Amino acid sequence: MANKIQAIRGMHDILPPQIYLWQHVETAIRTLMHCYDYQELRLPIVETTELFKRSIGEVTDIVEKEMYSFSDRNGDGLTLRPEGTASCVRAAIEHGLLDTPRRFWYQGPMFRHERPQRGRYRQFHQLGIEVFGLPGPDIELELILLITRLWHNLGLKQLELQINTLGNPDERANYRNVLVTYLQQNYTKLDVDSQRRLQQNPLRILDSKNPELQDILTKAPILLEYIGPKSLEHLEQLKINLSACNINYTINPRLVRGLDYYTHTVFEWVNNNLGTQGTVCAGGRYDNLVEQLGGRPTTAIGLAMGIERIVAMLIDHNHVINANQLDIYFITASNTAQTQAFIISEQIRDKIPQIRIQVHCGGGSFKSQFKKADRNQARYAMILGDDELTRKVVGIKSLRDQNQQIEVSFLDLINWLQTHIMSQPPSNL
RNA sequence: GUGGCUGUAGCUCAGUUUGGUAGAGCACUGGAUUGUGGCUCCGGUGGUCGUGGGUUCGAGUCCCAUCAGUCACCCCA
């Protein structure tokens, strides 16, 4: 085995048993989206680099140093999508989907060239939800209720909902100036990172985890004080709605999203047990992006959820998914018997499509075949030896209780299976 | 991208201090029971000790580089 090839950094295979958690999460999402009448979109994984530059913002970390960009054969600049909103907006404009309010969702891999860490990968998976044409706090309430229900359905607790508003672009720009002036007065007290961000994205400084900065930051001007009455009224209405629906939340005046396009309401669910990558779901309103990307002015709001982080939380909660167990493991004594077992199995599948049967392959003694049956957690072993074959019966042995092994004739088999297997729920192991 | 810690069988780990030809448990597999699983007992397969170089008579062990994981920062889902 000459130098073996391994998966590239930060990109992971998802295998059993974890795959069952993924399927569980994906099913929960699909069901919920269906119930709230959101429509699924399948979007390309590769887009023009220009799309992300124009939507996420030229001076963000994502665009500056985290994108997987390359030249297509004809020289076009392409990029593996680092997030989904841009693609979704592009598609909505391109296909004329913005004539009326629309609710969309999508799911799939995203790519960012960051240093991998638990809960942060170079290929990771997101659920994205985007709603177009609804400007009010009502749709914000709906999204929060929807996600809250998802947590409930997945059995996830200890998620804290944080909310803030960034106001409209004018208010935000105004605040930005005030903040920059304040921070410049304290320039020497800032750390190197924050000094750099002062030029590029000063709002992010508010998010700094450096304890030495906390004093300066708590005394910094507060965004909410520079927000106009209309924007404040928007936030107030959302707060009233949330309280009416018994949703707990905290207002976090320092909550600033990393992407340039956000306006007004932003929110995020944080889990403190996940280490530093605690944000599990985050989103906000982006009322100007559609126009920015060449569409007619259309309000929009969206959110993104990190599937890896959800799965990590489920694992932390010791959430075990029982893969449905195998109903029948078919054991045979000879090639002739095995062929007959395949024929019988197909007849069973014709009549009972949902049944799970595996015909033993690979030979071996009865003993080793029974061992396999047991390790595959089958409920029943079905035995077809030469003796049974001539008498046209199969032996059936329950592997999960002490019931005696019985014989059932080929003719009665379907009937027997329907009454004994499909009518009884599998016992949990 | 910066810094700390870790890397030995499919998995969990011992062995590293004081350099001397690679170990355990689980898993897999065969047998005890020649057509019957789970429990028990006995045997077997499986490792270029992450990779590459260096020091040495000799390196899993010491040194350097590199790759990967992990934690924190940066950033973000």
Side-chain angles (χ1 to χ4, degrees):
Chain A
M1 201 164 52
N3 45 14
K4 60 184 168 192
I5 297 172
Q6 53 185 22
I8 57 186
R9 186 172 209 194
M11 306 201 180
H12 294 283
D13 303 309
I14 304 161
L15 310 171
Q18 274 205 9
I19 194 70
Y20 299 116
L21 286 173
W22 280 74
Q23 289 169 349
H24 176 63
V25 171
E26 286 161 3
T27 304
I29 288 169
R30 186 169 296 115
T31 306
L32 196 67
M33 289 304 142
H34 180 75
C35 291
Y36 280 79
D37 201 27
Y38 283 55
Q39 295 171 299
E40 183 178 3
L41 258 35
R42 303 267 168 115
L43 304 164
I45 287 168
V46 181
E47 299 271 1
T48 61
T49 301
E50 181 64 18
L51 174 65
F52 300 116
K53 285 190 176 170
R54 272 167 62 183
S55 57
I56 298 169
E58 291 262 12
V59 295
T60 56
D61 276 27
I62 290 177
V63 170
E64 278 187 337
K65 50 190 192 193
E66 293 177 1
M67 293 206 300
Y68 281 92
S69 297
F70 58 97
S71 290
D72 199 2
R73 288 173 182 277
N74 62 7
D76 292 346
L78 303 183
T79 292
L80 264 43
R81 64 181 182 193
E83 58 105 37
T85 301
S87 303
C88 186
V89 171
R90 191 228 80 224
I93 295 170
E94 187 169 334
H95 301 287
L97 302 178
L98 300 174
D99 50 338
T100 179
R102 298 269 196 173
R103 294 163 165 87
F104 295 123
W105 70 280
Y106 52 86
Q107 189 196 11
M110 308 292 165
F111 302 84
R112 289 182 204 171
H113 193 105
E114 300 178 275
R115 183 108 164 210
Q117 199 173 320
R118 184 162 114 104
R120 190 177 72 187
Y121 306 98
R122 290 185 175 178
Q123 175 175 337
F124 61 103
H125 297 77
Q126 282 187 338
L127 160 69
I129 303 177
E130 319 285 351
V131 178
F132 299 103
L134 293 172
D138 49 0
I139 186 62
E140 294 163 12
L141 175 68
E142 177 175 298
L143 282 174
I144 289 168
L145 289 172
L146 184 158
I147 295 296
T148 303
R149 185 167 295 279
L150 182 62
W151 302 149
H152 177 261
N153 291 353
L154 290 173
L156 294 175
K157 292 163 185 147
Q158 301 185 328
L159 280 162
E160 186 189 316
L161 172 62
Q162 301 186 351
I163 295 177
N164 192 22
T165 182
L166 301 177
N168 67 35
D170 287 342
E171 290 156 0
R172 191 174 166 183
N174 185 23
Y175 171 70
R176 189 189 144 116
N177 289 337
V178 176
L179 181 68
V180 168
T181 307
Y182 167 81
L183 290 174
Q184 267 166 349
Q185 284 161 2
N186 295 280
Y187 189 79
T188 49
K189 292 182 198 160
L190 296 178
D191 58 20
V192 181
D193 281 323
S194 296
Q195 290 177 349
R196 175 178 56 80
R197 278 182 295 192
L198 192 52
Q199 314 300 324
Q200 304 198 329
N201 198 346
L203 297 196
R204 296 285 317 171
I205 298 175
L206 297 174
D207 247 358
S208 174
K209 287 169 196 157
N210 186 342
E212 289 171 22
L213 259 56
Q214 296 313 308
D215 190 45
I216 296 173
L217 295 182
T218 43
K219 289 176 187 158
I222 292 171
L223 176 57
L224 275 177
E225 289 168 3
Y226 294 82
I227 301 289
K230 236 179 129 183
S231 300
L232 284 177
E233 169 60 24
H234 185 114
L235 180 64
E236 274 314 306
Q237 192 56 53
L238 175 61
K239 284 160 72 174
I240 291 167
N241 289 347
L242 287 173
S243 299
C245 293
N246 272 324
I247 303 284
N248 292 324
Y249 63 92
T250 57
I251 296 291
N252 178 359
R254 296 216 213 142
L255 177 64
V256 175
R257 313 296 349 284
L259 282 52
D260 270 3
Y261 50 64
Y262 286 107
T263 53
H264 292 289
T265 309
V266 292
F267 50 87
E268 104 182 14
W269 279 268
V270 181
N271 166 38
N272 291 323
N273 298 329
L274 233 47
T276 183
Q277 310 300 330
T279 301
V280 158
C281 181
R285 187 163 277 289
Y286 52 95
D287 286 338
N288 304 300
L289 182 59
V290 175
E291 188 176 7
Q292 216 174 58
L293 291 178
R296 290 158 65 174
T298 307
T299 61
I301 180 166
L303 61 84
M305 204 181 85
I307 309 288
E308 279 83 355
R309 292 180 186 182
I310 301 296
V311 170
M313 282 187 72
L314 290 173
I315 292 171
D316 282 354
H317 283 60
N318 288 323
H319 206 98
V320 178
I321 304 296
N322 273 334
N324 284 336
Q325 47 182 317
L326 187 60
D327 293 310
I328 292 168
Y329 197 86
F330 216 141
I331 289 170
T332 60
S334 63
N335 287 345
T336 333
Q338 192 196 32
T339 306
Q340 189 60 41
F342 277 116
I343 293 167
I344 291 171
S345 296
E346 288 309 310
Q347 289 167 349
I348 293 171
R349 291 177 177 122
D350 285 342
K351 299 287 190 225
I352 313 175
Q354 71 275 32
I355 201 168
R356 296 187 68 195
I357 307 180
Q358 187 160 111
V359 178
H360 176 83
C361 291
S365 64
F366 265 46
K367 180 188 174 63
S368 64
Q369 294 190 48
F370 267 98
K371 255 185 190 166
K372 265 268 161 25
D374 189 50
R375 304 224 165 127
N376 288 345
Q377 307 191 332
R379 296 169 66 193
Y380 291 92
M382 202 174 262
I383 303 111
L384 188 61
D386 295 330
D387 176 44
E388 286 87 351
L389 196 54
T390 48
R391 290 164 36 227
K392 297 197 186 312
V393 298
V394 293
I396 297 177
K397 179 173 183 177
S398 172
L399 301 178
R400 300 292 153 231
D401 56 39
Q402 298 305 317
N403 290 348
Q404 282 267 300
Q405 180 170 333
I406 58 163
E407 284 189 349
V408 177
S409 76
F410 289 0
L411 293 175
D412 297 334
L413 190 52
I414 300 288
N415 239 337
W416 189 91
L417 290 172
Q418 265 161 346
T419 51
H420 287 82
I421 293 198
M422 301 324 289
S423 59
Q424 293 171 11
S427 59
N428 271 339
L429 294 177

